[in-house]
Amino acid sequence: MEDQVEDIELRPATVRRNLTIKNNVARQVAINFMPSRQAPYNTLRLRRVNSENNALLDAVASDTPDAANKQADIIVREMELHTHLMQNDPVSEELRREALRDLPQGLTMKRNVRAKLSASVSLHSKRRPISVLKRFQYRLSFAWKRTRERFRDLIFSIQLWYEPIRIIEGHLGTAVGSYFHLLRWLFSLNLLLSGLVVCFLVVPQVLHDHNNSTTTDLGWLDIISGKGGLEDSLLFYGHYHDGVINGSLPLSYNMPFAYFFTMFCIYVGFFLVFCYRTAYSYRRNFIETSGGLSNVFANKVFCGWDFGIVSAHAASLNAASLFNEFKELLSEKYKVKVKRSLCMKIFEYTVNTIVWVTVLGSMMALHYGVWALRAMTTRTTNWNLLVSLILTSVLAVCPLLFNFLVRLEFYRPRTSFYVTLARTWLLDITTLSLIFYYWAKSSTKCWETVLGQEAYRLVLLDSVVSLLLLPAVEFVRILIFKLNPKGTGPEFNIAYNSLTLIYNQALLWLGLLFSPLLAVAVTIKFFLLFYIKRVSVLRACRPARKVWRAAQTQTVLYMFVTLSLFTTLFGIGVLFLASTSDACGPFRQYVPVIAVIGEGVLGLSTHQTLNAIITFIIRPGVIGFLFVALCVSVYYMRAKSIAQRSMVDLLRQMLVLQAKDKDFLLTAIAKVSNGEWLYSPKPEENADSHTWRYLHEVRKPSNAGYHFDGSRLSHAFDRSDKPVRPRSERPQSVRTDGDTDSSFSWQGSSNYLNDLENRRMI
Amino acid sequence: MGQGKSQFTEEELQDYEDLTYFTKSEVLYAHQKFKELAPEKVGHNKNAKLPMAKILQYPELRVNPFRDRICKVFSSSNDGDCTFEDFLDMMSVFSQNAPKSVKAEHAFRIFDFDGDDMIGVSDLSEVVERLCGVELKLSESEIQALIQNVLQEADLDDDGALSFAEFEHIIDKSSDFSHSFRIRL
């Protein structure tokens, strides 16, 4: 099989092309009548068959209404072949609708086909009584479908920032648009989050506070640092009531339960949403498109143009970038590859390693510094604020340093981009985890509130950076560019900006539990960010000069958001749920916090059996067993996927071979129909060839009249263990005379070709 | 979105919803956009046929290198003039909800300049030339080299042209296609 692969991938280009190219049209017609095209198995195939038939019909006649009618007839006939499409029940009606929608035809044609179809359905369907249950099912699925459509309709009507994003995409390309899509998505999720938090936590607490009101006074520095008057306010964990709230109504509201379950639903629910989204995006952009050859040239040619562009400037930039990339690709392809010497390789690896070590080392030093700063006991008021300020500036500057550092290394552009992304994200998430760990392990009274304050400060200070500082820098840059247009104008740095979003989201995940109103703050921030970025992008940025592979980058960004959430969940599980929180907050009565489920909801101390069951389930042995089972199933899935991948490879090769077979057969048929059935096989040379076998086994006199020959079939099965053997002998001949068919020695065909040559010479 | 004084009846909208990838309000929005191209004409007859030059005023099409091909492919009279239904068809195929296979089908027809149901060498060189724009020109030998590389990657049966199956295979393996082959309404 190995050499077979090579044969396919390294086949000499253009050897045979010129020979076969002239028969293309006629051949395509013939192919359309092959059984595989005539008996489609699914609607997808069906579509193509129709269009081919129509292409045929188009050649015959067009424009007349009669021809259109005929086309519709053909399509209807094709569809009638599918019994599952032709039933008179809702399921096949839905299938018909989808098949119709996927037809590559105009609306008029679709309507025509639909009319004919519904006429024919009533004729074709086998009438069967439908059971009540079935009918109920149908009705349910119909209602569900309608609701879904209504919902989609509604979503479109209330879609936020539709037109602005479209304009941005039109001027700066889809890649920059993807940043705004991420922003919009995070904004709408946070809006939902804020809604949940406000409804279930803040409003009840406000009602409670209303009953026993306290007054606080605020200094302006308190607003930034979250201390003083703000410390014991709705903003932070410590303020929330730890018992039942009795309003004026005869209803009561258990605050600890509410707090626990709201947070639980938010974290777990959003984790699932993010996981699903990431997995979906990963599947679409990495798995489904992986494997096989990387079609760099074809991809550039067919997918290079961004159809969403509207401005002439962006269009000319897109054309120029494609032009440059074509040139680059070609020069890369035909460049004599200088083999890197061993020394060079070792040097490159050493440099890469050194840079990695430096980066990780400086990260650790940074973390140590943060820890030391935090642990320092000073008399300075607002020491906390100062530390947060330092943290924010470090986190804003470091990505730029990483961006610079990666240029010293020897990576391909794409890898270096991912490396920078990964480093920045790593820095962000480790710093946040460190803060979490520091406060959780510190002996501060009510550390939860302090952590909430820290997150609040970081969000606030980061707003200053991303809402004021960065746009100002961008404007200054464009100003410099306008005064001195020799240099290149600033491009919108998608990676850096997206990472800012991700950092904010990670901060929100960390702080949400300890400062519920942080969700509202981040939502407002994202809202403002959208408008500020829109202005700065449209005024101060130019379209990227390189074609940006938006799809895969977006997947990576989603992955980072999900990973941050996962890290936070892990931290909460380890540091918060298992510890006690008896100094403040809603869980004062529960030791440890997780007891809110065990004691509060389930009442384990009173239910002995339940207690026993749960104690059994959470024993290390059981969890270990589950873990091992999980590992085994993951391993199994992995093995399966590898097996399937190799199967796909095999099938692909078979497809290629089949295509070649077909090509060969069609050429043969063309020659036969030209009256060149005068060949003489050379059995002495190649007794194994198809032609030889064909002559001696199939076309022997006893087989005249096309009756079915069982022995031939069994013989074919005998050989099925090496189905591609005759093929594997062919590459030699390809290379020697450049004609794959020559090993079959068609005398007639060579005569024919000679004829052609002679004619051309004349 | 102007539901009140719409030019369409509920049945017509339902019909469009069934046959395209749009919802009703998207159909109405598309009609609004169509109307902007020629307010007078479309105001009188909602399904008026606009000449190709008018359709090409649509912002995304105006700068597109394949604009005339797109119009021709979607025009029901095959000359590039489009009625509203043709326009709706076009937008539906370019919309986010259209599956890759449908997009591939139409992309194939757009790139198939000579209409022989194969993307041959001449089609490919036309595509490359249009992609690079009017100012920048690749030399003839560069274009040929490029085309040979494309064929080497994509032409599985070695016949010097891409059939639909081969084209679809390329599209299937490209993660960027559905991103780039998209026009937002």
Side-chain angles (χ1 to χ4, degrees):
Chain A
M1 222 55 216
E2 274 305 301
D3 53 359
Q4 204 68 34
V5 177
E6 270 190 12
D7 175 38
I8 292 159
E9 290 178 2
L10 304 176
R11 77 200 120 95
T14 72
V15 175
R16 275 177 61 253
R17 263 177 209 140
N18 301 332
L19 278 176
T20 45
I21 208 159
K22 17 184 168 354
N23 300 346
N24 269 342
V25 186
R27 256 175 25 144
Q28 199 58 41
V29 172
I31 286 173
N32 290 335
F33 287 102
M34 286 194 147
S36 64
R37 301 299 180 99
Q38 294 292 319
Y41 344 100
N42 56 28
T43 48
L44 231 112
R45 262 265 139 253
L46 176 79
R47 257 184 32 245
R48 186 61 199 158
V49 169
N50 288 332
S51 81
E52 271 159 5
N53 281 338
N54 290 331
L56 289 179
L57 270 190
D58 276 343
V60 180
S62 59
D63 282 349
T64 53
D66 197 35
N69 222 358
K70 260 188 206 157
Q71 283 191 14
D73 274 337
I74 287 185
I75 297 173
V76 171
R77 224 171 297 140
E78 286 293 345
M79 282 180 136
E80 279 169 0
L81 294 177
H82 303 257
T83 41
H84 66 276
L85 276 178
M86 301 305 290
Q87 299 307 314
N88 197 4
D89 61 39
V91 173
S92 72
E93 196 175 318
E94 182 59 29
L95 281 175
R96 270 203 301 277
R97 201 178 79 96
E98 268 166 28
L100 264 180
R101 203 172 54 174
D102 289 353
L103 273 182
Q105 295 291 340
L107 279 173
T108 338
M109 178 61 75
K110 283 183 188 171
R111 252 188 230 123
N112 203 342
V113 170
R114 191 173 58 180
K116 281 178 196 287
L117 260 187
S118 55
S120 116
V121 161
S122 44
L123 282 178
H124 278 76
S125 71
K126 307 179 192 89
R127 280 198 186 280
R128 271 175 305 185
I130 302 175
S131 70
V132 179
L133 192 71
K134 263 272 159 61
R135 198 172 301 156
F136 180 68
Q137 261 181 3
Y138 289 153
R139 208 164 281 169
L140 213 65
S141 72
F142 250 27
W144 167 239
K145 207 191 77 167
R146 283 270 165 255
T147 330
R148 239 180 30 198
E149 246 152 42
R150 287 275 148 71
F151 186 67
R152 251 189 69 200
D153 215 35
L154 184 76
I155 288 278
F156 178 75
S157 310
I158 60 167
Q159 206 169 33
L160 198 65
W161 302 328
Y162 182 83
E163 207 53 31
I165 292 185
R166 212 177 78 92
I167 292 171
I168 290 167
E169 278 190 337
H171 284 86
L172 290 120
T174 324
V176 176
S178 72
Y179 163 79
F180 285 91
H181 281 294
L182 182 71
L183 179 54
R184 184 176 68 182
W185 192 60
L186 288 178
F187 170 75
S188 25
L189 280 185
N190 288 343
L191 198 65
L192 182 68
L193 211 108
S194 315
L196 286 174
V197 166
V198 169
C199 283
F200 291 109
L201 298 183
V202 178
V203 169
Q205 186 63 34
V206 167
L207 288 179
H208 177 73
D209 289 352
H210 189 68
N211 290 346
N212 25 348
S213 61
T214 48
T215 49
T216 49
D217 48 336
L218 281 175
W220 66 271
L221 212 61
D222 291 346
I223 295 180
I224 303 176
S225 68
K227 295 233 163 225
L230 272 184
E231 187 159 333
D232 188 28
S233 71
L234 282 172
L235 262 177
F236 300 116
Y237 173 87
H239 179 70
Y240 285 81
H241 186 53
D242 68 335
V244 176
I245 296 173
N246 292 307
S248 46
L249 294 165
L251 294 169
S252 63
Y253 193 79
N254 192 323
M255 202 60 198
F257 288 0
Y259 205 97
F260 185 84
F261 286 110
T262 310
M263 286 302 169
F264 182 80
C265 290
I266 286 176
Y267 275 107
V268 173
F270 278 68
F271 185 61
L272 290 182
V273 168
F274 275 92
C275 276
Y276 176 76
R277 176 92 193 213
T278 311
Y280 176 75
S281 175
Y282 184 74
R283 198 181 67 222
R284 279 194 48 174
N285 297 326
F286 281 88
I287 298 181
E288 280 176 12
T289 53
S290 73
L293 315 162
S294 58
N295 306 309
V296 265
F297 283 94
N299 259 337
K300 274 277 136 50
V301 170
F302 294 127
C303 313
W305 190 263
D306 189 344
F307 279 65
I309 286 180
V310 292
S311 83
H313 179 61
S316 70
L317 266 176
N318 197 343
S321 80
L322 277 172
F323 174 79
N324 290 329
E325 287 195 30
F326 285 149
K327 286 213 153 195
E328 267 172 41
L329 275 177
L330 282 176
S331 68
E332 230 169 80
K333 179 93 182 176
Y334 294 113
K335 195 170 58 183
V336 188
K337 283 231 171 77
V338 188
K339 210 161 181 185
R340 288 180 304 164
S341 64
L342 190 66
C343 276
M344 198 62 198
K345 265 188 197 164
I346 290 174
F347 174 68
E348 286 178 6
Y349 283 129
T350 332
V351 170
N352 288 356
T353 325
I354 288 174
V355 173
W356 263 109
V357 168
T358 322
V359 166
L360 291 179
S362 53
M363 265 190 218
M364 290 219 277
L366 238 158
H367 292 153
Y368 180 75
V370 170
W371 187 281
L373 278 179
R374 269 263 153 266
M376 216 187 288
T377 46
T378 51
R379 293 265 142 226
T380 328
T381 48
N382 299 318
W383 174 244
N384 282 320
L385 189 60
L386 209 64
V387 174
S388 303
L389 200 63
I390 295 172
L391 258 180
T392 307
S393 42
V394 163
L395 291 182
V397 171
C398 271
L400 300 175
L401 284 182
F402 290 154
N403 225 344
F404 172 74
L405 261 182
V406 86
R407 287 186 203 161
L408 302 177
E409 292 169 274
F410 298 91
Y411 292 119
R412 278 172 299 155
R414 206 156 175 70
T415 325
S416 71
F417 170 73
Y418 283 137
V419 165
T420 319
L421 269 189
R423 280 175 190 165
T424 313
W425 179 78
L426 201 67
L427 177 70
D428 288 349
I429 201 70
T430 45
T431 312
L432 292 185
S433 318
L434 183 88
I435 293 171
F436 193 0
Y437 184 78
Y438 176 81
W439 287 117
K441 290 294 164 197
S442 73
S443 49
T444 323
K445 187 167 169 287
C446 195
W447 62 269
E448 293 90 346
T449 293
V450 181
L451 182 57
Q453 285 169 337
E454 181 94 55
Y456 171 77
R457 278 195 300 270
L458 286 177
V459 167
L460 217 63
L461 290 173
D462 186 74
S463 316
V464 176
V465 173
S466 52
L467 294 183
L468 298 176
L469 223 56
L470 283 178
V473 169
E474 267 162 11
F475 272 101
V476 168
R477 274 181 70 190
I478 195 74
L479 216 63
I480 293 172
F481 172 68
K482 285 220 168 115
L483 292 176
N484 175 26
K486 263 178 273 173
T488 52
E491 281 175 20
F492 185 72
N493 191 339
I494 304 167
Y496 183 79
N497 282 292
S498 309
L499 276 171
T500 322
L501 289 187
I502 289 172
Y503 167 67
N504 272 293
Q505 198 61 32
L507 211 51
L508 174 60
W509 295 137
L510 173 73
L512 183 67
L513 182 60
F514 307 112
S515 167
L517 279 177
L518 207 60
V520 181
V522 173
T523 313
I524 295 171
K525 181 178 171 181
F526 280 177
F527 186 76
L528 293 176
L529 194 64
F530 179 84
Y531 286 100
I532 288 174
K533 282 290 167 198
R534 184 175 76 158
V535 173
S536 89
V537 154
L538 288 177
R539 291 281 168 78
C541 291
R542 14 195 47 242
R545 274 178 309 267
K546 279 234 167 205
V547 174
W548 175 279
R549 298 187 62 185
Q552 296 201 344
T553 314
Q554 216 170 9
T555 312
V556 175
L557 293 178
Y558 281 131
M559 220 182 284
F560 281 146
V561 179
T562 316
L563 276 178
S564 330
L565 183 50
F566 178 76
T567 319
T568 317
L569 276 180
F570 183 75
I572 289 174
V574 172
L575 295 173
F576 179 68
L577 286 185
S579 70
T580 57
S581 170
D582 50 4
C584 59
F587 304 121
R588 263 169 279 189
Q589 297 162 2
Y590 300 100
V591 178
V593 175
I594 192 73
V596 72
I597 292 191
E599 292 307 316
V601 183
L602 299 173
L604 284 187
S605 46
T606 50
H607 297 87
Q608 285 308 320
T609 27
L610 196 63
N611 195 5
I613 293 171
I614 289 185
T615 325
F616 175 75
I617 287 176
I618 57 173
R619 264 187 0 195
V622 178
I623 290 180
F625 172 76
L626 280 180
F627 186 69
V628 169
L630 209 68
C631 285
V632 168
S633 64
V634 166
Y635 180 76
Y636 169 71
M637 287 297 176
R638 200 180 128 70
K640 215 166 138 182
S641 95
I642 290 174
Q644 269 166 357
R645 204 170 297 160
S646 61
M647 192 65 207
V648 166
D649 277 344
L650 221 71
L651 286 174
R652 185 180 296 138
Q653 283 159 27
M654 274 166 72
L655 258 181
V656 172
L657 292 175
Q658 294 257 321
K660 288 190 172 174
D661 279 359
K662 197 160 70 190
D663 196 36
F664 162 74
L665 284 174
L666 284 167
T667 329
I669 291 169
K671 278 161 196 162
V672 171
S673 60
N674 281 350
E676 295 159 40
W677 191 232
L678 307 161
Y679 58 88
S680 73
K682 297 181 193 162
E684 73 282 357
E685 183 192 290
N686 200 349
D688 210 24
S689 81
H690 285 317
T691 319
W692 190 88
R693 283 159 44 73
Y694 181 73
L695 275 178
H696 284 77
E697 292 172 30
V698 185
R699 274 189 70 85
K700 59 188 173 194
S702 62
N703 278 348
Y706 299 109
H707 78 77
F708 184 69
D709 186 350
S711 71
R712 181 159 60 101
L713 191 69
S714 62
H715 194 74
F717 278 131
D718 285 345
R719 293 174 43 79
S720 64
D721 53 336
K722 38 181 178 173
V724 288
R725 204 163 82 78
R727 294 272 143 190
S728 60
E729 296 162 8
R730 288 172 55 180
Q732 265 72 31
S733 62
V734 173
R735 279 180 196 123
T736 48
D737 56 19
D739 187 352
T740 338
D741 297 345
S742 69
S743 63
F744 293 84
S745 154
W746 290 73
Q747 207 179 55
S749 76
S750 58
N751 281 344
Y752 175 63
L753 284 178
N754 287 342
D755 251 24
L756 271 183
E757 292 284 283
N758 293 339
R759 253 180 254 159
R760 210 172 287 157
M761 291 228 281
I762 294 164
Chain B
M1 228 155 262
Q3 289 258 17
K5 52 182 193 102
S6 151
Q7 284 179 300
F8 295 95
T9 63
E10 187 62 21
E11 289 88 67
E12 280 174 316
L13 285 180
Q14 184 61 47
D15 192 43
Y16 287 139
E17 191 178 80
D18 283 348
L19 295 177
T20 63
Y21 299 100
F22 285 138
T23 64
K24 285 173 191 157
S25 45
E26 282 171 315
V27 171
L28 286 176
Y29 192 57
H31 191 253
Q32 205 176 313
K33 293 251 162 164
F34 187 68
K35 204 168 173 180
E36 276 165 22
L37 295 174
E40 282 290 297
K41 235 175 160 178
V42 183
H44 287 306
N45 171 14
K46 64 189 180 213
N47 202 16
K49 179 177 268 190
L50 298 186
M52 183 152 94
K54 266 273 186 284
I55 297 291
L56 291 183
Q57 294 295 310
Y58 193 73
E60 271 87 353
L61 294 180
R62 194 167 47 209
V63 295
N64 196 299
F66 308 107
R67 47 187 173 264
D68 53 320
R69 284 299 305 165
I70 296 177
C71 280
K72 287 227 172 74
V73 163
F74 286 96
S75 154
S76 50
S77 50
N78 293 326
D79 54 1
D81 301 350
C82 290
T83 62
F84 170 62
E85 298 203 342
D86 297 337
F87 179 75
L88 192 66
D89 246 345
M90 182 194 298
M91 287 299 135
S92 158
V93 167
F94 278 111
S95 77
Q96 198 165 5
N97 292 318
K100 227 177 188 179
S101 53
V102 173
K103 281 176 187 266
E105 183 93 39
H106 284 89
F108 184 77
R109 288 211 256 163
I110 289 170
F111 293 141
D112 183 15
F113 289 89
D114 49 14
D116 62 354
D117 227 9
M118 295 287 261
I119 296 184
V121 174
S122 63
D123 295 326
L124 280 172
S125 74
E126 180 80 35
V127 170
V128 172
E129 268 171 32
R130 284 182 180 222
L131 276 178
C132 291
V134 273
E135 296 129 42
L136 303 158
K137 289 254 180 287
L138 287 170
S139 72
E140 192 55 36
S141 61
E142 278 172 325
I143 290 182
Q144 283 312 318
L146 201 62
I147 290 170
Q148 285 317 321
N149 277 304
V150 171
L151 286 177
Q152 203 166 354
E153 284 171 354
D155 184 17
L156 296 177
D157 61 3
D158 245 352
D159 58 359
L162 302 184
S163 66
F164 176 69
E166 287 157 351
F167 181 74
E168 201 182 24
H169 183 74
I170 293 281
I171 297 303
D172 242 13
K173 290 287 163 203
S174 159
S175 55
D176 291 326
F177 180 73
S178 27
H179 254 79
S180 64
F181 199 75
R182 183 171 73 192
I183 296 180
R184 275 177 202 285
L185 198 61

